[in-house]
Structure formats: structure tokens, C-alpha cells
């Protein structure tokens, strides 16, 4: 009986792991190992890099910094329009602009990536609140 129970538990556990979504696997690996770690999901290898970190990983040039800053500004405008802009994002955008002016393109890329990430997460918060607003209504 113990062997049957152990076998059933192993099968159920393996199915639970297989049912894990990509986002769940990514979030778990990112939380456990941090940025840039490789993890396996459904037989393929991925890295724990947010899309903005990948975008900031390009050559540190004025054109690349400007391009990422423009994307971050557009993303921030989008989230501000729905009322979920993070307060610190505007400061990151200004600092990125200043870094471009100063010729520190690596710093500009990193700051723009942070701002774009905050805008993306703010938009995700908005979408979550729209889908789950009823949970805040008292019973």
C-alpha cells in the first residue's frame, strides 16, 4: 500500500509541475536565483530576464538609449492614461534623459529599462484590478 501511495504522489507531483505555466516557472526561478539565471520549462532553456533587461542589454549608444527611452515614455503615457502610473517612473525618465545628455548611455539604458518595467507592471495592476474589482466589494 505504501508503494502505491508513493507512486500516486509521484505521479500527481509530476503532473502539478508539468501544469506550471511559463510565467509561474519564470517567477519562481527569478525569485530563487535572480536576474540572468537559466531555467528549464517544457524541455526548453530560458533565462530569468525581463523584456526590458533584454532591451537594455544592447550596445550603449545614443541611438539605442534614445529608442528605449522613447518606448518607456510611450508605455508610461499608456499607464498614466488609465490612472495606474507609478510615482517614481517620471523621475527615472528624467534621469535617463539626463544620462543621454551627459553621454552616459549605459546608465540611460538601465534607467529607461526600469521606467518601462514599472509602466508594464502598472498596466498589469490596472488589468488585474479591472478583472477583479468585485473582490473589493464588501459582502
Amino acid at each position: 500500500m505504501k508503494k502505491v501511495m508513493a507512486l500516486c504522489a509521484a505521479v500527481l507531483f509530476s503532473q502539478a509541475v508539468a501544469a506550471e505555466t511559463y510565467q509561474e516557472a519564470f517567477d519562481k526561478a527569478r525569485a530563487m536565483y535572480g536576474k540572468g539565471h537559466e531555467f528549464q520549462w517544457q524541455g526548453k532553456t530560458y533565462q530569468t530576464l525581463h523584456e526590458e533587461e533584454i532591451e537594455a542589454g544592447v550596445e550603449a549608444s545614443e541611438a539605442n538609449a534614445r529608442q528605449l527611452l522613447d518606448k518607456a515614455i510611450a508605455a508610461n503615457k499608456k499607464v498614466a492614461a488609465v490612472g495606474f502610473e507609478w510615482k517614481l517612473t517620471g523621475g527615472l525618465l528624467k534621469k535617463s534623459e539626463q544620462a543621454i545628455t551627459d553621454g552616459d548611455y549605459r546608465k540611460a539604458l538601465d534607467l529607461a529599462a526600469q521606467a518601462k518595467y514599472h509602466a508594464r507592471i502598472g498596466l498589469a495592476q490596472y488589468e488585474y484590478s479591472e478583472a477583479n474589482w468585485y473582490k473589493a466589494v464588501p459582502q
Side-chain angles (χ1 to χ4, degrees), residues 121-134:
I121 298 305
L123 193 57
Q125 287 178 326
Y126 165 74
E127 291 166 355
Y128 179 85
S129 70
E130 286 293 300
N132 295 283
W133 62 267
Y134 61 90

Side-chain angles (χ1 to χ4, degrees), residues 55-127:
E55 290 176 307
V58 297
E59 175 191 349
S61 68
E62 182 176 3
N64 287 339
R66 175 64 54 199
Q67 182 180 22
L68 186 52
L69 178 58
D70 290 344
K71 287 181 183 180
I73 290 169
N76 195 54
K77 284 181 182 177
K78 186 176 180 181
V79 75
V82 296
F84 274 71
E85 177 183 19
W86 289 14
K87 289 183 179 181
L88 59 91
T89 309
L92 291 169
L93 293 170
K94 288 178 186 174
K95 289 179 182 177
S96 180
E97 183 69 52
Q98 185 60 50
I100 291 173
T101 301
D102 295 343
D104 190 349
Y105 305 126
R106 173 55 42 211
K107 182 178 179 180
L109 281 164
D110 292 341
L111 290 166
Q114 288 177 48
K116 187 171 178 271
Y117 173 79
H118 292 167
R120 181 169 58 88
I121 298 305
L123 193 57
Q125 287 178 326
Y126 165 74
E127 291 166 355

